[in-house]
Amino acid sequence: MRVTVDAVLCEGNAVCAGLVPEVFYVDDSDELTILASEVPPELADRVREAVRCCPKMALELHE
């Protein structure tokens, strides 16, 4: 599973980083970085939740 971000839609709200800091990081400039090119299986459910909770729907899963 991979997760990607649409940088145009992302506002850096950091909801995803709050839910899965092992995969998502938002810096002081509100730029989102995805830390894992492939989501570890043990984090898959949490990443799915982060994608669902994104207020701008900027995250996409590729399973």
Side-chain angles (χ1 to χ4, degrees):
M1 169 194 301
R2 278 185 323 112
V3 62
T4 57
V5 61
D6 182 327
V8 174
L9 291 176
C10 181
E11 292 181 341
N13 292 302
V15 172
C16 56
L19 291 170
V20 197
E22 301 92 338
V23 175
F24 303 103
Y25 172 75
V26 177
D27 66 19
D28 292 337
S29 299
D30 294 333
E31 293 286 327
L32 173 65
T33 300
I34 297 176
L35 302 173
S37 58
E38 290 290 325
V39 175
E42 65 273 13
L43 298 177
D45 288 340
R46 290 172 53 204
V47 169
R48 285 185 188 98
E49 181 66 15
V51 170
R52 281 192 295 272
C53 290
C54 179
K56 299 304 289 181
M57 299 179 76
L59 299 172
E60 185 176 354
L61 278 180
H62 308 273
E63 298 199 50

